[in-house]
Amino acid sequence: MSVKPSKEKTNELKGPAVLNISYIFPNGDRYDGECQKSSDDVIMRSGSGIHTTPNGIIYKGQWYNDKMNGSGRLEHPSGAVYEGEFRDNMFHGRGTYIFQNGAKYVGEFNENKLEGEGEFTDLKGLQWIGNFHYKAAPGLKLKLDI
């Protein structure tokens, strides 16, 4: 990506300078946010930024090595939303996924898959807790508020 920075600030720890840019990719995607130059002078998204696509996908959050890394929020035009931790462009760590039908999962993710302790709220508002393993969740228990 070849860009002209709009602002540059230096890092007090003498690391690479942080550039604030606005860039439109050849496919129409747009990135507004922080970048850094790599050792071979390639500008990569790093820090806080917003990436939008022409079809309505919006990511607001942290970047590292030109990938979604750290905390962020990914919104789809269908209404589905993920908010939580990312690693290498994947849901990874703790997060909340709201499905386009309104159902919700809060818990652990591993490389885009529901994996580990979590809570699923179905369309009737019932909350199910237990261990999730991608599409399987044997032994879920209904959470009762008594």
Side-chain angles (χ1 to χ4, degrees):
M1 135 173 36
S2 174
V3 296
K4 296 196 187 262
S6 58
K7 261 196 233 177
E8 188 171 333
K9 58 184 175 181
T10 57
N11 186 333
E12 292 83 33
L13 302 176
K14 297 184 182 176
V18 175
L19 309 170
N20 283 310
I21 66 161
S22 183
Y23 181 78
I24 298 175
F25 293 84
N27 68 355
D29 286 9
R30 180 185 178 108
Y31 177 76
D32 294 291
E34 297 176 330
C35 291
Q36 290 184 331
K37 281 187 183 179
S38 67
S39 57
D40 51 352
D41 257 359
V42 174
I43 294 179
M44 297 194 311
R45 292 169 287 189
S46 188
S48 230
I50 301 171
H51 185 107
T52 56
T53 68
N55 61 352
I57 296 171
I58 302 169
Y59 173 75
K60 298 176 186 175
Q62 298 299 306
W63 295 84
Y64 180 71
N65 282 341
D66 215 32
K67 294 183 179 179
M68 296 179 287
N69 277 297
S71 60
R73 179 180 172 94
L74 184 65
E75 302 172 7
H76 290 267
S78 68
V81 175
Y82 173 79
E83 189 162 3
E85 296 299 313
F86 288 82
R87 186 172 76 187
D88 294 333
N89 287 338
M90 292 184 280
F91 308 157
H92 195 84
R94 187 119 183 112
T96 299
Y97 189 90
I98 301 172
F99 296 84
Q100 75 180 71
N101 67 4
K104 179 170 78 169
Y105 170 80
V106 178
E108 296 298 318
F109 289 82
N110 184 7
E111 297 181 349
N112 284 341
K113 297 179 180 133
L114 288 68
E115 187 68 44
E117 244 346 92
E119 181 176 304
F120 180 81
T121 304
D122 65 23
L123 295 178
K124 295 179 182 176
L126 298 174
Q127 296 176 323
W128 300 88
I129 56 173
N131 278 307
F132 291 78
H133 303 286
Y134 188 40
K135 293 183 179 178
L140 283 184
K141 294 183 174 123
L142 181 62
K143 182 178 175 182
L144 298 174
D145 293 322
I146 299 176

